[in-house]
Amino acid sequence: MPAYDFTAPRLHVAADLAAGVILPLDRAQANYLLNVLRRGPDDPVLVFNGRHGEWRAHLVQTGRKGADLHVAAQTRPQTERADLHYLFAPLKSARLDYLAQKAVEMGAGTIRPVITRFTQGDRVNIDRLRANAVEAAEQCGILAIPECPEPERLPAALAGLAPGRLLVFCDEDAPVRDPVAALRAAGDPLAPPPLAVLVGPEGGFSEEERALILARPNTVALSLGPRILRADTAAVAVLTLVQAVLGDAR
């Protein structure tokens, strides 16, 4: 049997999972499986809740528009949430959706909005952020739903990081040099520390904010190259680098 079933859709549910459990689907879930994906009776569906691992269930139609899932057997045990924090200045909603999805795909276990001087807006729809995290987890085979805490001001967010956590600070004013070498110098790839990544708004950080970040011990300022990247592009770029050198992709 392959390590992962790419043919069956995955669905996040709130209920406890065990063999023999019957999960009544709400109208949106039933419509998604029956009408969008064109699944029929007895078709397999993978379900997870972030607590009890992943389970194989089969679809049982309960009417013209309704359906239940009958849980059969566990396919994968529960895993721990990834210990990678992604801190970012909030963006406009459509680009924030993209950023949240890609951060989850790249292995962030905590997605924390951080309010800075040049943040475009300090209002973040946390329910929407969490919905995007769940959707990305469904699509990517992730079992532990990332945390999406309420926004914090930059000083509070920095103070909340444990001293032993390496902060990778994406700094457009950092010298342009080999980012892989910079990460290897900051943390041992053979025994990598817990990680956090900080990406600012497209207006950049103020000088006071930059000084505050760089004054934090266990922080490495990282250039992402000679071009200024959009914040959502920077998310993918820096998380790829971090995961390849110090994270779970090495």
Side-chain angles (χ1 to χ4, degrees), residues 4 20-21 29 73 87 108 130 175 182 195 203 205 207 216 245:
Y4 184 77
V21 167
Q29 291 171 326
L87 285 64
R130 290 171 179 157
L195 298 166
F205 291 98
E207 288 305 315
R216 178 190 180 271
V245 180

Side-chain angles (χ1 to χ4, degrees), residues 5-26:
D5 183 354
F6 290 95
T7 62
R10 295 181 82 241
L11 194 66
H12 177 261
V13 298
D16 291 343
L17 295 173
V21 167
I22 297 176
L23 301 174
L25 297 177
D26 62 33

Side-chain angles (χ1 to χ4, degrees), residues 15 34 51 53 56 58 67 70 80 82 86 113 116 130 147 151 165 167 182 189 191 194 209 226 230 238:
L34 296 174
R51 304 185 304 277
R56 180 176 293 275
H58 63 273
H70 290 209
E80 295 293 327
Y86 186 74
T116 69
R130 290 171 179 157
E147 289 186 319
R165 186 173 294 276
L167 176 62
E209 289 171 334
R230 286 176 25 152
V238 68

Side-chain angles (χ1 to χ4, degrees), residues 22-178:
I22 297 176
L23 301 174
L25 297 177
D26 62 33
R27 190 168 185 174
Q29 291 171 326
N31 178 69
Y32 174 68
L33 292 173
L34 296 174
N35 299 320
V36 177
L37 298 184
R38 301 291 183 183
R39 302 289 163 162
D42 296 325
D43 278 352
V45 178
L46 299 175
V47 293
F48 69 108
N49 60 10
R51 304 185 304 277
H52 302 134
E54 181 183 78
W55 292 73
R56 180 176 293 275
H58 63 273
L59 193 63
V60 176
Q61 196 157 350
T62 58
R64 190 168 64 88
K65 296 183 178 180
D68 293 341
L69 288 176
H70 290 209
V71 180
Q74 190 181 64
T75 56
R76 290 189 291 159
Q78 184 61 40
T79 56
E80 295 293 327
R81 182 181 290 115
D83 191 20
L84 171 58
H85 293 204
Y86 186 74
L87 285 64
F88 68 96
L91 306 171
K92 295 179 180 178
S93 58
R95 293 174 58 202
L96 180 55
D97 293 345
Y98 175 89
L99 183 149
Q101 293 163 6
K102 299 311 169 187
V104 174
E105 290 179 32
M106 296 302 300
T110 298
I111 305 173
R112 181 181 296 280
V114 176
I115 308 305
T116 69
R117 179 178 176 184
F118 299 126
T119 296
Q120 295 176 1
D122 58 5
R123 298 187 63 183
V124 179
N125 187 331
I126 291 296
D127 289 339
R128 180 167 177 163
L129 186 66
R130 290 171 179 157
N132 276 290
V134 168
E135 181 180 343
E138 287 177 334
Q139 294 175 352
C140 298
I142 294 169
L143 296 180
I145 302 299
E147 289 186 319
C148 300
E150 294 289 335
E152 286 188 313
R153 296 283 173 183
L154 178 63
L158 293 175
L161 294 175
R165 186 173 294 276
L166 175 64
L167 176 62
V168 180
F169 166 37
C170 294
D171 182 7
E172 64 272 17
D173 283 353
V176 177
R177 56 193 178 103
D178 185 350

